Amino acid sequence: MKKDKTKINEILEKIFNMRTINKRITKKSLNQNNEKLKKIYELLGKPCENKKIIHIAGTNGKGSTATFLENIFFAAGYSVAKFTSPHILRFNERILVNKEMISDEDVVKYCEIVMNILEENGLQINFFEIATFVALLYFKEKNPDFIFLETGLGGRYDATNIVKSTIAAITNVSFDHVALLGNSLYEIADRKVGIIKNRQLCIYAQNLAELEEAVKRETDNSVNVLEKYKGFQAELDNQNYKTIVKIVENKNSKESGNIKKSENIEKINNNKNNLKKTFILPLFGKFQANNFLIAYEIAKIYGINDKIIQKGLDEISLAGRFEIFSKNPATILDVAHNDDSVKVLTENLNELFKDDEVIFVLSVLGTKDIANIFKRILEKNYKIFITSLKEVIYGLSAEEIKKNLENSNISTKNIIFEDDILQAYNQAKKMILKNDNSYKVIVVCGSFYEIAKFKKLFL
């Protein structure tokens, strides 16, 4: 057993160190890398070439959407596979079949197959690209009915885009990784819709002109679920930290939810020909309704009934998505890591707490739009601790984040800078226990790496 652990640790360390190999910025270099990935895919025997693959892209919500689909289709009796990123505690979390993580032995086995192909052909690729090939080889062996494949970054030039997919799903588009994806929503949308192939069906969940235009360029077969189910409602269950979604469907229509754009919400809800359905999501946040609608639409395409859909939802547990880590003291973990996801996080907190009841413990990567993220947070009267992620690629120390904020003319006088996340958390706990203030909850957020670092402290 110890020997096996040594082996997986060695190979994971080797591929982790390949994270920064060949940064691809220009269109020419991106296309060149794409051709290289296609060559490697062919050398590996084109694993999963003819499988039913639901390919998921988007700035936020990809992981939630993939998990909705995984659980719903598994509850319906299908064998399912899921590839997501990043992981929280173990690399194996990225690659699942029937909700079970890939074994250490299989990680080693397939990493070695990929690495041998690279060495034999004098090729170099990065960590995520290797992980993608490992997942495809593993899925080929397990032969699931459906594969839910989440992009890593963007879509058009993403390693996951080497496969043929059955349906393209796009959650949303907002500003993130602008240095790599583009400085406008139009450019970012163009990257995301690159997962649409051969005019295939695309399902998306955002009323954004740039995204709608980009989708139309790639296919004439698309569904914006926010329009199709425009009468839907999302309500928060503040006691149980769940989200209640109410969907309106026209029972006389062959296509579920076929509602005309001209119909207003009141008219939809009062129409006697419309069916009202209620689903309970075990994730907290009105935005999760959008992700669920994508999964719901795909489930309906494959004839999965509402009872099975809810059964699948009941089995979901997703780390780092408004995760209740502790009730004493109240501690919430959230992987919000860009302006849009931080906005959603603060909206969720507004439902439960006053601004002066919240303590933030966070860190962000140097690739993020730090100024806009902190402007969003500093609009609130939160107490803020900044910690370090210096040990990870693109991670910053607390002092480096401080300098970044000062260079953006953002005041840091009310922020506590403490590199040690455990020290920051312990200080926050002491503040909650004091009787001379209003603090009630600690929120650890800012990055998947921040959540992973925090969780490892309590293993």
Side-chain angles (χ1 to χ4, degrees), residues 63-73 281-283 288-289 291-293 295 312-313 316:
S64 299
T65 303
T67 299
F68 285 140
L69 286 164
E70 173 195 35
N71 281 270
I72 290 168
F73 277 71
L281 314 185
L283 304 178
Q288 292 291 1
N291 301 327
F292 167 67
L293 287 177
L313 295 175
I316 290 175

Side-chain angles (χ1 to χ4, degrees), residues 22 34 41-42 71 145 153 190 216 245 256 300 404:
N22 298 338
N34 221 30
Y41 185 57
E42 289 178 2
N71 281 270
D145 298 316
L153 183 65
D190 177 73
K216 286 176 183 176
V245 180
S256 62
K300 287 302 174 185
N404 190 299

Side-chain angles (χ1 to χ4, degrees), residues 386-404:
I386 303 298
T387 69
S388 172
L389 283 174
K390 188 69 175 177
E391 68 279 3
V392 303
I393 298 294
Y394 305 124
L396 302 174
S397 68
E399 185 62 28
E400 286 171 327
I401 295 174
K402 182 178 182 181
K403 288 178 181 177
N404 190 299

